[in-house]
Amino acid sequence: MRKLRSSNYVTIALCGALLLGLGAPTAEAQTPEQRRLDSLTIRLEDAEAYINMLRQQLATEADAGVRTRSRIGLEFSGRVLMHVFQNSKETNNADVPMYRKQVPDGTPKGGMGMTVRQSQFVGAVTVHDVFGGTFLGDIDVDFFGGQVPSPGGRTFPLMRIRTARAILEWENSQLLIGQEQPLVSNLNPISIAAIGAPNFSYSGNLWLWLPQIRYGWHTNGALRFGAQAAVLAPTSGEPQTPYETGFDAAERTGMPFVQSRLSMGWGEQDAGGEFGVGYHMGSMQDSAQTNHPSNAITVDFLVPLPLNLEIRGEAFGGQMLHGLGGGGIGQNFGVDSITPVRSVGGWVQINHRLSQRLLWGIGYGFDDPNDDDLPAVNVKFKNVTQEAHVHWRPAGPLLFGLEYRSVKTSYDASNYGNTHINLAFGFEF
């Protein structure tokens, strides 16, 4: 809940004092002038009492606030979630499945589980008058970084940094340094079942959080136009070892990723719409030490509709996009481990807010690599995800969610499907 400013407290106090003063008893023998003076005196005394009380409350809140060593106010927020989930078949990830595994006959399939590792914590600071603008800094962590090899498994999750941003905002521009989603795919579906990895990952959603330097400029007004550019850390999406790190196929080229985006926005800042077109450029090195371009053209949109409806989504076409969060269904090189894998994909979601406490929606996403770029066997030819969700905030900080997800992955000439049911319980603060 947003705190009232001290000036607002004083206004409330004076109003309360005036109301009390209107009902103050007076003696019948007093003259009108004496009654007026006595009434003003009572009102002033009541107002002083209210002001002193609110000053004490403000002082208590100030002392109780969390502050850094540099005396900057630090604000915490987050949500604690427990997920109960069930899969009908074997997937790459039990609690947040992204694609169906191709497993031999007789392999154990499906099951149910429970976890709390998608809980989030955010710390943020705000400082005004920094280089003529406002400084915003925040860090967002969860516990989706893996499991300690132990009998506890997922009940002992590892903390992971999602985003860590230092932002300078001016009236018409912004500078960001830190870790954030790619500039060209900065939108995600609404979900409380897929937080550790956003929904439609490997099914059209490019999202992987990457270190970057980003600058953007925009106009003001009812219809706003903007332009952004970013230099990002190169990555091919290859997993690292538990303790030691090395250069991957993108880092070995010695070149960063570069992205740009043009956008058009309208309506209120918190409830408006936006349409954007982006371009991604990078490179990756194959096993023969030959560099190949990694590129993509992207489209993103968020459109508010009447009756509290909205439609949001993204689309892309390009090649070698595993490093942006699973593009090409996580495949960079195809035939002979040299041919770049081209792919097209995207996702769309429609959400309907029935009230401030109840929201539901449906969505669809796909990723379809070019078959000619892939070997004939043991590769993923297409991945499709369909989902439906309901979110309910019954009272206070409580949060509940139910999500149904169907994932179908094509291997060779066969389709392998999985049904995922996810029930979430938690609270926000």
Side-chain angles (χ1 to χ4, degrees):
M1 180 183 296
R2 187 172 58 185
K3 295 181 179 178
L4 293 173
R5 296 180 179 175
S6 58
S7 59
N8 293 334
Y9 279 122
V10 173
T11 302
I12 294 172
L14 290 173
C15 291
L18 288 171
L19 289 173
L20 289 174
L22 290 174
T26 58
E28 294 183 359
Q30 288 181 321
T31 66
E33 182 65 18
Q34 288 174 328
R35 287 198 297 270
R36 187 180 69 83
L37 292 175
D38 287 347
S39 177
L40 288 175
T41 301
I42 292 172
R43 293 176 186 178
L44 289 174
E45 290 176 351
D46 289 340
E48 289 178 356
Y50 270 95
I51 292 171
N52 289 332
M53 179 185 68
L54 292 172
R55 281 175 177 170
Q56 293 176 0
Q57 292 178 350
L58 288 171
T60 302
E61 290 181 5
D63 292 338
V66 179
R67 292 189 176 274
T68 64
R69 180 178 297 180
S70 60
R71 309 303 298 167
I72 296 175
L74 178 62
E75 182 177 304
F76 279 109
S77 62
R79 53 185 165 186
V80 177
L81 291 171
M82 185 184 77
H83 291 91
V84 182
F85 54 90
Q86 183 172 19
N87 292 302
S88 62
K89 302 295 182 180
E90 187 76 6
T91 64
N92 70 306
N93 203 33
D95 49 348
V96 186
M98 305 172 203
Y99 59 86
R100 168 75 189 279
K101 276 188 175 181
Q102 185 184 31
V103 296
D105 293 338
T107 303
K109 300 173 182 178
M112 69 85 60
M114 303 168 69
T115 181
V116 297
R117 68 181 187 141
Q118 295 194 77
S119 299
Q120 286 178 262
F121 296 95
V122 179
V125 298
T126 302
V127 183
H128 299 284
D129 298 325
V130 178
F131 291 117
T134 300
F135 174 81
L136 309 170
D138 58 40
I139 183 168
D140 181 357
V141 301
D142 64 16
F143 299 89
F144 210 74
Q147 298 78 228
V148 176
S150 68
R154 275 191 302 270
T155 60
F156 300 135
L158 300 178
M159 183 177 285
R160 175 190 67 168
I161 296 177
R162 296 160 57 89
T163 62
R165 310 178 303 174
I167 302 171
L168 269 174
E169 284 190 347
W170 296 275
E171 182 179 358
N172 294 95
S173 58
Q174 181 190 83
L175 173 66
L176 181 152
I177 301 176
Q179 183 163 293
E180 176 61 292
Q181 288 192 178
L183 171 62
V184 297
S185 53
N186 209 28
L187 185 66
N188 274 324
I190 292 176
S191 176
I192 59 173
I195 297 171
N199 216 343
F200 304 120
S201 297
Y202 288 76
S203 293
N205 185 12
L206 306 178
W207 61 272
L208 188 63
W209 302 296
L210 296 173
Q212 59 189 271
I213 301 173
R214 178 192 301 185
Y215 179 78
W217 172 89
H218 63 85
T219 63
N220 294 326
L223 187 63
R224 302 177 297 276
F225 296 93
Q228 296 171 291
V231 178
L232 303 89
T235 178
S236 62
E238 300 169 27
Q240 297 284 348
T241 62
Y243 297 106
E244 298 178 348
T245 61
F247 292 125
D248 63 23
E251 293 171 325
R252 284 194 295 270
T253 66
M255 299 295 294
F257 286 168
V258 178
Q259 297 182 349
S260 60
R261 179 175 177 267
L262 299 175
S263 64
M264 179 181 67
W266 62 92
E268 298 295 331
Q269 292 284 357
D270 296 332
E274 189 170 56
F275 176 83
V277 178
Y279 180 71
H280 159 79
M281 180 176 62
S283 61
M284 295 188 190
Q285 193 173 99
D286 63 22
S287 57
Q289 300 184 6
T290 300
N291 292 350
H292 300 270
S294 166
N295 53 52
I297 295 176
T298 66
V299 174
D300 62 270
F301 53 90
L302 173 60
V303 182
L305 301 172
L307 303 177
N308 293 322
L309 287 164
E310 70 156 30
I311 181 170
R312 60 172 63 200
E314 295 176 320
F316 72 86
Q319 68 177 23
M320 305 180 70
L321 300 175
H322 186 192
L324 297 185
I329 325 179
Q331 301 164 124
N332 286 322
F333 293 102
V335 178
D336 300 324
S337 299
I338 293 177
T339 302
V341 174
R342 294 167 291 174
S343 186
V344 295
W347 62 271
V348 62
Q349 188 181 60
I350 300 174
N351 295 293
H352 183 201
R353 187 171 296 279
L354 297 172
S355 68
Q356 291 299 318
R357 299 189 180 277
L358 187 62
L359 175 144
W360 73 278
I362 56 176
Y364 173 89
F366 78 98
D367 195 329
D368 188 8
N370 190 308
D371 293 354
D372 295 335
D373 299 337
L374 299 171
V377 295
N378 299 325
V379 293
K380 297 179 283 291
F381 283 89
K382 189 174 183 179
N383 198 47
V384 174
T385 299
Q386 302 174 72
E387 66 89 21
H389 59 273
V390 177
H391 299 167
W392 180 40
R393 290 173 167 81
L398 299 181
L399 173 64
F400 298 93
L402 175 64
E403 181 167 313
Y404 165 86
R405 193 180 315 160
S406 171
V407 178
K408 292 184 179 180
T409 308
S410 300
Y411 292 88
D412 307 335
S414 303
N415 293 324
Y416 296 80
N418 172 69
T419 298
H420 176 78
I421 305 293
N422 192 297
L423 187 61
F425 307 87
F427 63 92
E428 297 178 322
F429 59 91

